[in-house]
Amino acid sequence: MDDIEKLKSDNISLRRELEDERNKLDTVLQSIVDGVYTTDIDRKITFWNKGAERITGFRADDVLGKYCRDILRHTGESGGSLCETACPLEKTMSAQSAIMGKDVYSGTVWGRLVPVSVSCSPIIDKEGDTVGAIEVFRDISGQKQLERQKEDFYSMLTHDLKSPLQVIMGYAELMNSMPPAQLSLNSADFINIILLNCSSMHSLINDFLSISRLESGSMHLDLRKSNLAELAKRVHDNYMPACLKKDISLKASLPDSSRESLLDEKLIERALTNLVSNAIKFTPRHGTVSISLAEVDGSAVMTVSDTGPGISPEDIGLVFEKYYRTKPTAGKDGVGLGLAIVKSIVEAHGGSVAVESAPGKGSDFIINLPIDNPPESR
């Protein structure tokens, strides 16, 4: 009798230990950020973690006991369904081997497809039989967006480098085919055009080098005491001819002098130049571009305002990202580095840059630079 009671007690203890281990495993799987679910041999869902809920919107109560094909509806890059012909779970169970990092699209409760990277492995019992499968899937929307941006970037880079090269080659071939007497009459104009296009290419290449050096921290800041009012006035005067040509009013609200700041004058002038150049580019005829400078709480605040088309709410948080271009920039030159360079320069000085804008209301780009606590030279 005592042996029977002891056996019962041991069984109860064993069940408790198994339950504790099961709860620990469940806690671990629920804590994983990626989506994790398991199925039986028929691909009916037996477990569904919080990561899967977050990515797909489907709750565990809604999917348990259902076929995974009715929930996730995995599709390939071409849009064709994988569930009947190339299901990762079916393949991993048939081959009794893992599948790693397969990119597919997953259905969601919101009706849209989400790109995910899928890894699967069979669940094999102690007899060696396959009794189900486990799938881990990771949302790769950000990665896919970056890949699209890179493709767009390379396309724009090819276009922006190819255009001036075509002009240079065209005029070089023209000059090569002209008789010496005719060449001497037109050479000055042709050389000016060639030089202008070489300058455009040089500027583009410099943008790539600058953003790379700024982000890696390898660009040395040549910090010297500088007068921001004089710097802003210089940028204003440099762009006055361009504004007159486009029939744009260029205004300046600048103090006669400002407290000297320790900064890299060439880099800050480039940042302000990028903002003013952008403002002129997007401001229509008879519009206005304004440059202002003020000291606020120990910081120099430079603002470049325009009466252009403005920036949409979905774009405004992305305008300082590398290679990002808003819809109004579609027909404009450039590869989307100008504002990223501004941000990198300003942040290298311990400052910040922000934008305030709305569609149809123009834009205000605001640079905030510390005066009392300047950056250390790097």
Side-chain angles (χ1 to χ4, degrees):
M1 192 70 178
D2 289 341
D3 291 340
I4 294 175
E5 290 300 322
K6 185 177 184 305
L7 184 60
K8 287 182 179 179
S9 177
D10 289 344
N11 285 337
I12 292 172
S13 297
L14 182 60
R15 282 198 298 270
R16 285 175 179 170
E17 289 176 9
L18 289 173
E19 187 66 28
D20 287 343
E21 290 300 318
R22 188 181 294 110
N23 289 337
K24 288 178 183 177
L25 178 60
D26 185 79
T27 300
V28 170
L29 293 175
Q30 291 292 358
S31 301
I32 296 175
V33 176
D34 295 338
V36 180
Y37 74 96
T38 60
T39 71
D40 61 17
I41 194 68
D42 296 319
R43 288 181 284 169
K44 286 184 178 181
I45 297 171
T46 56
F47 174 81
W48 187 262
N49 82 334
K50 288 185 172 63
E53 289 187 1
R54 180 182 56 81
I55 295 171
T56 68
F58 291 110
R59 298 182 51 167
D61 292 343
D62 302 325
V63 304
L64 292 177
K66 295 183 179 178
Y67 291 104
C68 60
R69 65 173 177 268
D70 296 331
I71 304 299
L72 295 175
R73 306 184 302 281
H74 284 335
T75 59
E77 294 282 350
S78 63
S81 174
L82 301 178
C83 294
E84 301 303 330
T85 58
C87 173
L89 287 178
E90 180 68 30
K91 285 186 173 183
T92 197
M93 287 190 288
S94 298
Q96 284 199 340
S97 63
I99 295 174
M100 304 297 292
K102 182 178 177 63
D103 289 356
V104 303
Y105 287 85
S106 175
T108 66
V109 74
W110 309 289
R112 58 182 173 82
L113 295 175
V114 174
V116 294
S117 178
V118 166
S119 295
C120 304
S121 184
I123 299 173
I124 302 172
D125 64 16
K126 61 183 180 181
E127 280 79 30
D129 297 325
T130 299
V131 294
I134 182 169
E135 178 179 306
V136 180
F137 59 99
R138 174 172 297 176
D139 186 346
I140 55 172
S141 299
Q143 177 184 321
K144 290 293 184 181
Q145 182 180 5
L146 182 59
E147 288 173 2
R148 287 193 296 270
Q149 287 178 349
K150 282 184 177 179
E151 289 173 4
D152 291 344
F153 159 67
Y154 287 126
S155 175
M156 289 185 292
L157 175 60
T158 302
H159 174 269
D160 285 359
L161 286 176
K162 188 177 180 181
S163 296
L165 270 176
Q166 286 177 329
V167 174
I168 292 168
M169 288 179 64
Y171 275 94
E173 289 170 355
L174 180 61
M175 292 173 70
N176 188 51
S177 65
M178 291 175 68
Q182 188 179 354
L183 178 62
S184 62
L185 293 173
N186 297 283
S187 60
D189 289 339
F190 292 167
I191 289 171
N192 281 336
I193 292 171
I194 289 172
L195 287 174
L196 183 65
N197 282 273
C198 284
S199 176
S200 175
M201 292 177 63
H202 185 261
S203 176
L204 183 61
I205 292 167
N206 273 345
D207 278 350
F208 291 115
L209 292 174
S210 294
I211 195 72
S212 176
R213 289 171 182 166
L214 284 163
E215 289 190 335
S216 67
S218 62
M219 181 173 281
H220 174 74
L221 295 183
D222 184 16
L223 299 176
R224 301 184 184 188
K225 288 186 177 181
S226 304
N227 190 305
L228 280 172
E230 293 176 1
L231 184 152
K233 178 69 164 57
R234 189 162 61 244
V235 173
H236 170 273
D237 293 346
N238 287 344
Y239 276 96
M240 185 59 75
C243 286
L244 290 174
K245 184 178 180 180
K246 197 176 175 183
D247 204 8
I248 290 173
S249 174
L250 181 59
K251 297 181 178 181
S253 177
L254 307 171
D256 294 333
S257 185
S258 62
R259 192 147 60 99
E260 286 190 330
S261 307
L262 194 62
L263 50 84
D264 188 316
E265 190 168 319
K266 288 185 178 179
L267 286 179
I268 294 299
E269 183 169 342
R270 184 174 183 188
L272 185 59
T273 293
N274 281 6
L275 292 183
V276 174
S277 175
N278 250 25
I280 294 170
K281 184 190 297 184
F282 294 107
T283 298
R285 287 188 63 194
H286 309 301
T288 301
V289 173
S290 304
I291 307 170
S292 68
L293 172 65
E295 184 176 331
V296 180
D297 298 329
S299 294
V301 180
M302 291 189 291
T303 304
V304 176
S305 305
D306 65 61
T307 56
I311 304 168
S312 67
E314 58 266 28
D315 286 327
I316 202 164
L318 301 168
V319 293
F320 293 106
E321 297 294 322
K322 286 189 301 183
Y323 317 129
Y324 188 81
R325 302 181 71 185
T326 61
K327 289 180 181 178
T329 66
K332 307 291 184 181
D333 294 334
V335 293
L337 284 175
L339 292 178
I341 289 172
V342 172
K343 183 173 183 284
S344 294
I345 289 173
V346 172
E347 289 183 349
H349 284 78
S352 62
V353 61
V355 59
E356 296 175 358
S357 184
K361 301 292 184 181
S363 303
D364 297 326
F365 285 86
I366 305 153
I367 291 176
N368 194 304
L369 290 171
I371 298 176
D372 295 332
N373 297 297
E376 295 181 2
S377 178
R378 292 194 295 173

